[in-house]
Amino acid sequence: MTIDWGDCFTRPVMIRKFAKRMAPAANALFAVGLSLLMLVGVSSAAMAQESGEVDRVEVGTSGDSAHLVFEFDRPLQREEAEKIRVRFARDIPFGVRQAPRVETLGCRNGLDRPDRNGVLSLQFTCLPSHGVVAWGYRLSPAVKATVVGPVREDGLRWWQNRTSRPKNSGHVESADYIFHGSMNPVFVNDVLDYQDFFTYRHNLGGGGTAKLTFAGSARLTY
């Protein structure tokens, strides 16, 4: 048997040239497929809007200190969706603003700050070397009535004088749970900004996923 060594070296070169020639075609096919997928998604959303249906209800805006979004597994008629929005937007205990207001929190003092979705409790404790702000958040009865299954808390994110600090641990608990954590070490005259995020399945419309956020700011004093 005679081996043509020249042919052995030539074939890989030919294969590489063929693959190089085919690469633009493969890229073009991939781009066409991706465009079709995006077109299907856009068309579906457009059809839902044209039919007078919506797939989500937003109460407040992303800049509010109380923000709630209901996403639906199946689109709802606009009239039904608007009733849900009004139901959760009508009661705003302290007048939610676009930017969280800065509240004063004194040493050995606490406060309860209700928003449209629940109540946040803050407690500032002064120690010899530093301070600790403990927090707890409980969902409102109206929100709890929509929860199906567990509530997943991301974990409080907080900033000390605009510097990010380690995030609190998250929880996966029932709707009756008081979610809690702490911001420490902190000091008098610090300004703390904080935000937490929750997700859960809801029973509104045909069901879906809810996303809830609370946020705020506090200035620490003696």
Side-chain angles (χ1 to χ4, degrees), residues 20-169:
K20 188 173 182 180
R21 288 198 300 270
M22 291 300 295
N27 290 338
L29 287 173
F30 176 78
V32 170
L34 183 60
S35 298
L36 286 173
L37 287 174
M38 294 176 65
L39 183 60
V40 168
V42 171
S43 299
S44 299
M47 289 174 62
Q49 289 191 358
E50 289 176 1
S51 65
E53 297 178 332
V54 295
D55 57 7
R56 71 198 301 267
V57 169
E58 186 171 2
V59 184
T61 67
S62 58
D64 286 349
S65 58
H67 185 230
L68 180 60
V69 175
F70 293 110
E71 297 176 347
F72 303 102
D73 294 339
R74 297 191 303 274
L76 300 181
Q77 291 297 318
R78 289 186 182 276
E79 295 79 6
E80 184 179 357
E82 179 62 13
K83 289 179 182 178
I84 293 174
R85 190 195 67 78
V86 171
R87 170 182 165 188
F88 288 90
R90 61 189 174 193
D91 295 324
I92 306 177
F94 63 86
V96 175
R97 302 177 183 178
Q98 285 295 100
R101 66 183 185 181
V102 178
E103 299 178 276
T104 299
L105 185 59
C107 188
R108 295 180 297 278
N109 290 326
L111 62 85
D112 288 337
R113 180 171 65 77
D115 61 35
R116 62 166 67 94
N117 305 319
V119 178
L120 173 68
S121 299
L122 297 174
Q123 179 73 44
F124 180 29
T125 301
C126 292
L127 303 174
S129 61
H130 64 281
V132 176
V133 174
W135 66 269
Y137 189 82
R138 57 189 184 276
L139 301 178
S140 70
V143 168
K144 286 195 291 186
T146 70
V147 177
V148 177
V151 177
R152 300 179 182 275
E153 180 221 359
D154 181 57
L156 188 83
R157 299 176 186 273
W158 65 289
W159 296 260
Q160 184 177 28
N161 304 317
R162 299 187 177 182
T163 299
S164 177
R165 296 306 185 200
K167 182 171 76 75
N168 285 194
S169 298

